[in-house]
Amino acid sequence: MTALRQSAIMELEKIPEDKLSFVIQIMQGVNGLYDDSNREKKAAFARLEKLRKKGTVVDGAAELATYREEKYGK
């Protein structure tokens, strides 16, 4: 356990029982914010993955030559 976590636990032990529910709500809110940001990032990444075109290029050099031929006529 880190020193910071130990310090937090010692502070929690000083809080009266009737006030602990407020502290728990605050902690759950902070955890919720952290989890939501991760969820949002994962959802955004999933949306990007859906938009990404997946090709079936077997011969990259041949495909490049085809594009050059189309664009420059060489």
Side-chain angles (χ1 to χ4, degrees):
M1 186 180 314
T2 65
L4 184 60
R5 191 172 295 270
Q6 286 177 342
S7 175
I9 290 172
M10 288 185 344
E11 290 299 320
L12 278 172
E13 289 174 352
K14 294 178 188 176
I15 296 174
E17 288 289 323
D18 60 327
K19 306 295 183 198
L20 277 178
S21 62
F22 299 117
V23 174
I24 291 171
Q25 288 176 348
I26 292 169
M27 292 168 69
Q28 289 171 339
V30 169
N31 281 335
L33 290 174
Y34 175 74
D35 290 341
D36 287 344
S37 69
N38 280 343
R39 257 187 253 135
E40 288 176 18
K41 287 178 186 177
K42 287 180 181 179
F45 185 76
R47 287 193 304 272
L48 285 173
E49 282 293 311
K50 286 181 182 178
L51 292 173
R52 185 174 68 135
K53 292 183 180 180
K54 295 179 175 114
T56 56
V57 176
V58 178
D59 185 6
E63 184 179 9
L64 181 60
T66 304
Y67 287 134
R68 283 185 183 144
E69 177 70 30
E70 290 173 2
K71 185 165 183 170
Y72 302 111
K74 294 182 181 179

